Amino acid sequence: MLEIRRTILILGIVLAPAIAWSQTQPTDNSTPLEYVQQSATPQSVPEPAAPPDKATVPRPGQAPDAQNKTDDSKGQQTKRMFWLVPNFGAVNANTQLPPMSTHEKFVLAARDSVVDYSSYTWAAILAGQAMALNSDPELGRGIKGYGRYYWRTFTDGVSGTFFTEAIVPVITREDPRYYTMGKGGFFHRTAYAISRTFVCKTDSGGTTFNWSEVAGNGLEAGLSNAYYPPEERGLRQTAENWGTQMESALLDHLFQEFWPDIRTKIFRRK
């Protein structure tokens, strides 16, 4: 698994210059959200415009994609990154959402792990790469070996997602979603994305230590002892698995932060 995450990190390093370049390009002609809010009531318009707060404060339960209609050029997330990686927990930039209920946290975890097709395709890619790198020789090769890699990789993803997005956040009353910064310099946003691995929002709107990621990934690493070969079990291996999961969470946050830029600046999609 560590080799897999290093490959993803290499991809991030390759894309980093393009992302940084995109930050220096002139902004497009779309009107920023802040300007729309400040100019919502022109002085010479005969008919009164809607109060600015109606354009920026979402109704309870309103979908994130419906909240930033005035600024669809920056910080807009999609359900999947690279059309293969689940991204349902990412929130658009300049967006504030109401607290999640227990039911909503479990629904989010399910969408990120078992409901959407991307969970299965992403697990297939990771399993194939793990077998190619011979990460767990005990699992064997060929079709049977790939099947052993696949169901373990998929189980890792499901258990890790439910621990970090539902079970632990419900207990600690934390918000498991990633709130995109979407503005500022490349290094400032990078530091912010990295910090979200250890700092998160609470259900009450404050900030706290990210027990959801730290403890949730520890629980997933411990659970993996139940279905990996004996050679891959034990305290040392569990600690290594926890470190790998934390590295994965950090990389996920980096890609979530810059995915809107990659999608619009590199892939030229809106």
Side-chain angles (χ1 to χ4, degrees):
M1 292 297 292
L2 184 57
E3 292 84 353
I4 298 172
R5 305 307 177 188
R6 285 175 179 170
T7 302
I8 300 176
L9 179 59
I10 292 172
L11 177 61
I13 294 173
V14 172
L15 292 176
I19 298 172
W21 172 82
S22 71
Q23 303 295 316
T24 63
Q25 300 307 301
T27 56
D28 55 25
N29 295 326
S30 60
T31 305
L33 179 62
E34 293 83 358
Y35 183 82
V36 173
Q37 297 172 0
Q38 296 172 6
S39 306
T41 312
Q43 297 179 356
S44 60
V45 175
E47 294 182 4
D53 59 342
K54 291 185 178 179
T56 59
V57 179
R59 295 188 300 273
Q62 186 177 3
D65 291 342
Q67 298 168 21
N68 289 320
K69 293 298 185 180
T70 56
D71 186 18
D72 56 1
S73 61
K74 294 182 180 180
Q76 295 296 293
Q77 295 286 353
T78 58
K79 296 177 181 179
R80 305 165 197 88
M81 293 185 291
F82 301 101
W83 303 275
L84 292 173
V85 185
N87 191 40
F88 293 93
V91 179
N92 296 339
N94 305 315
T95 301
Q96 295 298 324
L97 298 176
M100 300 182 75
S101 66
T102 296
H103 173 74
E104 289 172 334
K105 291 177 182 179
F106 275 90
V107 169
L108 173 63
R111 296 181 73 188
D112 265 336
S113 62
V114 294
V115 173
D116 191 68
Y117 76 87
S118 57
S119 302
Y120 301 89
T121 55
W122 183 236
I125 293 172
L126 294 180
Q129 189 171 11
M131 188 175 73
L133 295 172
N134 202 26
S135 299
D136 301 304
E138 304 82 10
L139 299 181
R141 313 288 291 181
I143 296 177
K144 290 184 178 180
Y146 178 76
R148 298 185 189 105
Y149 273 104
Y150 181 83
W151 77 258
R152 286 173 173 84
T153 301
F154 184 76
T155 302
D156 286 344
V158 173
S159 62
T161 301
F162 270 89
F163 278 131
T164 59
E165 293 187 1
I167 298 173
V168 177
V170 167
I171 296 173
T172 58
R173 298 181 180 179
E174 294 173 358
D175 190 335
R177 295 169 291 195
Y178 178 82
Y179 286 83
T180 309
M181 176 174 280
K183 59 183 178 181
F186 173 75
F187 293 105
H188 180 62
R189 292 174 63 188
T190 298
Y192 167 80
I194 293 173
S195 71
R196 297 307 95 181
T197 309
F198 304 97
V199 179
C200 69
K201 286 180 175 286
T202 63
D203 288 341
S204 60
T207 57
T208 186
F209 181 75
N210 197 341
W211 289 107
S212 298
E213 287 287 4
V214 176
N217 284 316
L219 291 170
E220 186 279 327
L223 180 62
S224 66
N225 286 304
Y227 51 85
Y228 272 88
E231 295 82 358
E232 302 297 330
R233 302 175 187 174
L235 183 60
R236 178 176 175 273
Q237 189 63 41
T238 300
E240 291 181 359
N241 289 342
W242 174 81
T244 300
Q245 295 303 319
M246 291 299 297
E247 180 185 12
S248 176
L250 187 151
L251 292 173
D252 285 344
H253 293 328
L254 284 171
F255 276 104
Q256 284 176 317
E257 177 62 35
F258 291 106
W259 169 238
D261 303 85
I262 296 171
R263 187 169 58 89
T264 58
K265 302 294 184 179
I266 298 178
F267 295 138
R268 305 294 181 182
R269 301 181 71 89
K270 296 183 179 181

